[in-house]
Amino acid sequence: MGERILLCLNHMSGRERDFVSKAFDGNWVVPMGPDVNAFEKDLESFVGSEPNTACVIDESGDTRWPQSDWTCGRAKKVVALSAGTAAVHLALIACGVGPGDEVICQSFTFCASCHPITYLGAKPVLVDSEAETWNMDPDLLETAIKDRIAKTGKAPKAIIPVALYGMPYKIDRIMEIADRYGIPVIEDAAEGLGSRYRGQVLGTFGRYGVLSFNGNKMITTSGGGALICPDAEAAKKVMFYATQARESYPYYQHEEIGYNYRMSNICAGIGRGQMTILDEHIAHHQMLADFYAQEFAKIDGIEFHGNPGPEFDSNFWLNTIVLDPSLKVAGEENAYAEVVKGAVGGAAGVTHEAKSAHTDCEPNRNVEAMRMALDREGIESRPLWKPMHRQPVYAGAAAYVNGVSESLFARGLCLPSGPYVSLDDARRIVDVIRKNIK
Ligand SMILES: *Cc1c(COP(=O)(O)O)cnc(C)c1O
């Protein structure tokens, strides 16, 4: 058995070292500089790029899409930051969110979509997913808006849909509803860099768009993120808050609270190198998705999560499957026998020991047994993200639920999907899964 196969480990283009060396030579080892500016320009041209998909002619002979005004991506300005979480935080500030406000957030997400709402003393209102994209259910979104207005007398301050595992949300409907109620949309495309809806890059539909370059995302700057802003003025404001809100005086003058969230020039150098292989990374993830889709179509009781329609174009950051509850997996009787010792999800070295092997909401035994079977073969997999409305820390949050995300959490597994996963690796992964079905 060779190296352990990880969920999403990025490889370097080889150019990163050159950019970083130049930064050292120029003494630009600071949270600003030429690489930060150049990385932002690279990102701006990427998010403003033309649709990558040909028009589809429907039965009536009409061109169906691209019909969206994708050129709006061209007006966007990008601000590079120290993390995707920082981008969510600053987007909320830019939307005027403050103590006591409510913000609607997709419940089926990683905690970073939601936590910054809490940092600001505002309250998350959690909205469940629809079963096609696994992202924010537009019908439930409207129910939530109406109900919040009825209960509190005011509309939520922002709406955060999330491109979970890279899959685009139903952005047309979400934007239509958000516009009707005059609520700004902050797209959390941290996992969806390069995913498109009707040919348009995610993160360019809403008022703000969040990107992440954490170690395991589509590209890495070791750690980092960016906020896609509607125009230069908005970007300037975001930059102000990202650099401790310094007023322009010869001395430090502070009239507002700011943050130390600007990206380091060294990280941006890595990012510039990574941008040269972003398209390659996306193509690789999508190639693996095609393979997994084809293989799992042949296995009863396992369903691959693919694009639900031609307008959706996922980057397949993580490829995901769901296991039918009736599927029998080897070793089910031993699932959850022990308390897990390490931290889940690559927070290396940081562990906060679990109190028990169980919680009141966890993946089915066959899912955990499959995870353990893959682990024994040196293959990393991970349950789907546990919805925020089932997280103890958000037990008190208002939630509008339909059972979709909780059911997916019980049944789903993320499979290795990064550039280091070869087609042979994927073949072995599917084999291990097949062999462990009883
Ligand atoms: C990773 C992630 C973030 C935050 O990005 P960081 O760069 O890790 O801070 C936000 N939202 C989602 C959905 C993510 O997966």
Side-chain angles (χ1 to χ4, degrees):
M1 199 167 73
E3 296 266 305
R4 198 170 151 77
I5 304 176
L6 300 175
L7 272 185
C8 185
L9 184 66
N10 283 317
H11 69 60
M12 296 293 119
S13 68
R15 314 249 180 95
E16 291 81 1
R17 211 186 287 266
D18 298 337
F19 285 115
V20 172
S21 288
K22 277 201 200 100
F24 271 99
D25 295 343
N27 229 343
W28 281 109
V29 188
V30 281
M32 61 168 159
D35 292 296
V36 179
N37 303 337
F39 182 43
E40 287 171 344
K41 286 279 161 286
D42 288 348
L43 288 165
E44 278 164 14
S45 59
F46 180 81
V47 302
S49 62
E50 289 185 31
N52 64 343
T53 32
C55 297
V56 169
I57 312 293
D58 70 15
E59 307 83 79
S60 65
D62 290 339
T63 305
R64 257 196 300 150
W65 59 278
Q67 64 185 192
S68 61
D69 180 20
W70 58 269
T71 52
C72 65
R74 289 207 171 149
K76 301 279 180 178
K77 290 281 171 251
V78 176
V79 179
L81 300 165
S82 56
T85 312
V88 177
H89 194 176
L90 294 180
L92 290 166
I93 291 171
C95 290
V97 174
D101 287 335
E102 290 191 333
V103 174
I104 292 184
C105 184
Q106 181 168 318
S107 185
F108 197 25
T109 188
F110 180 61
C111 66
S113 311
C114 195
H115 281 356
I117 301 168
T118 312
Y119 300 167
L120 288 164
K123 295 189 204 110
V125 172
L126 303 167
V127 169
D128 213 328
S129 296
E130 32 79 12
E132 289 188 1
T133 71
W134 298 5
N135 295 320
M136 186 179 279
D137 181 334
D139 293 325
L140 216 45
L141 166 65
E142 183 153 24
T143 304
I145 296 171
K146 282 186 183 154
D147 197 51
R148 295 329 292 168
I149 293 172
K151 288 207 168 89
T152 70
K154 41 177 208 172
K157 276 288 188 64
I159 298 168
I160 310 178
V162 183
L164 207 63
Y165 312 119
M167 183 62 71
Y169 16 71
K170 294 190 172 174
I171 192 65
D172 275 6
R173 290 212 50 215
I174 291 171
M175 288 308 296
E176 185 275 315
I177 295 162
D179 288 345
R180 194 144 37 81
Y181 289 90
I183 306 171
V185 169
I186 299 168
E187 294 178 69
D188 184 345
E191 301 176 3
L193 176 57
S195 295
R196 291 163 187 263
Y197 180 81
R198 296 188 195 278
Q200 183 178 332
V201 175
L202 292 195
T204 61
F205 292 86
R207 187 177 300 173
Y208 291 94
V210 170
L211 301 175
S212 168
F213 317 115
N214 204 348
N216 60 354
K217 297 288 163 75
M218 284 308 279
I219 59 166
T220 182
T221 58
S222 73
L227 190 61
I228 304 171
C229 302
D231 50 41
E233 197 182 331
K236 208 171 143 197
K237 199 84 191 266
V238 166
M239 218 142 351
F240 169 75
Y241 286 112
T243 52
Q244 302 288 29
R246 301 160 201 232
E247 304 292 341
S248 45
Y249 290 90
Y251 42 87
Y252 289 135
Q253 169 83 5
H254 300 287
E255 296 171 13
E256 284 177 84
I257 296 293
Y259 301 85
N260 182 8
Y261 278 169
R262 197 80 169 110
M263 179 176 273
S264 144
N265 196 60
I266 296 297
C267 295
I270 302 172
R272 289 182 72 187
Q274 288 276 287
M275 284 307 283
T276 65
I277 46 169
L278 172 56
D279 288 336
E280 225 172 274
H281 278 197
I282 295 169
H284 188 88
H285 285 251
Q286 292 174 335
M287 181 273 293
L288 289 172
D290 287 344
F291 175 77
Y292 282 133
Q294 181 193 309
E295 292 304 306
F296 288 116
K298 299 180 217 156
I299 302 178
D300 284 343
I302 297 186
E303 204 178 318
F304 176 77
H305 181 41
N307 287 317
E311 63 272 48
F312 301 93
D313 181 13
S314 175
N315 63 9
F316 291 101
W317 169 60
L318 289 186
N319 286 287
T320 52
I321 52 174
V322 287
L323 277 62
D324 192 284
S326 67
L327 190 77
K328 291 275 170 286
V329 174
E332 271 180 45
E333 57 290 353
N334 300 323
Y336 299 115
E338 280 178 49
V339 175
V340 173
K341 292 291 187 321
V344 174
V350 186
T351 55
H352 192 247
E353 209 166 310
K355 294 183 196 83
S356 80
H358 290 277
T359 69
D360 65 351
C361 173
E362 62 191 16
N364 295 335
R365 278 178 175 276
N366 62 354
V367 172
E368 177 59 7
M370 193 61 89
R371 188 193 68 78
M372 292 193 306
L374 288 161
D375 189 60
R376 279 193 299 274
E377 294 287 328
I379 299 162
E380 185 187 25
S381 67
R382 191 174 298 159
L384 299 184
W385 302 178
K386 183 168 180 169
M388 288 304 119
H389 71 273
R390 292 309 312 262
Q391 296 288 359
V393 76
Y394 288 118
Y400 295 81
V401 298
N402 54 18
V404 169
S405 63
E406 198 170 329
S407 159
L408 288 168
F409 171 62
R411 294 179 290 134
L413 213 49
C414 303
L415 300 178
S417 306
Y420 274 110
V421 182
S422 68
L423 208 47
D424 275 349
D425 291 335
R427 238 173 243 127
R428 194 159 79 78
I429 291 163
V430 174
D431 274 350
V432 171
I433 290 173
R434 202 182 274 118
K435 281 197 192 109
N436 279 281
I437 296 172
K438 288 211 283 189

